Amino acid sequence: PSISWLIDDNASKKNLKNLRERLELTELAIKTGAPLSTSEVSSLMGAKPGKSKVERGGLLATKISRNVWKISKINDENSYWRN
């Protein structure tokens, strides 16, 4: 008998757990305004930032200095795409 359904179920649970952790960490970074490394921003946003301001998925990552970033939520006031 095949147990592939069990393996698939475990992989789905692991993916959901990883997503939940990423969302919780993103929320914490926004609330605290904690400085983040480029690697941490890449992990939270799902892509490596290539410019001094990066907008993705309703988030704005702003480069403070070399390898130091801050993440915030996008609204009409701070979206540089609409200015």
Side-chain angles (χ1 to χ4, degrees):
S2 174
I3 59 167
S4 62
W5 61 271
L6 182 59
I7 294 168
D8 289 342
D9 190 42
N10 286 339
S12 295
K13 286 181 181 179
K14 184 178 179 183
N15 288 339
L16 285 175
K17 182 178 181 238
N18 289 341
L19 175 61
R20 181 178 178 166
E21 287 175 356
R22 193 168 116 189
L23 292 173
E24 289 172 352
L25 290 171
T26 301
E27 181 181 6
L28 182 62
I30 292 168
K31 283 183 178 180
T32 62
L36 303 169
S37 69
T38 303
S39 175
E40 291 165 335
V41 170
S42 299
S43 177
L44 294 177
M45 293 186 75
K48 184 176 180 182
K51 298 181 180 180
S52 62
K53 286 188 176 184
V54 178
E55 186 176 317
R56 186 159 196 233
L59 299 175
L60 177 66
T62 307
K63 190 173 189 175
I64 309 278
S65 64
R66 185 177 182 270
N67 200 34
V68 180
W69 296 80
K70 181 179 177 185
I71 291 182
S72 59
K73 287 185 180 178
I74 293 175
N75 57 33
D76 291 336
E77 293 90 43
N78 69 358
S79 179
Y80 69 99
W81 292 109
R82 296 182 189 101
N83 293 337

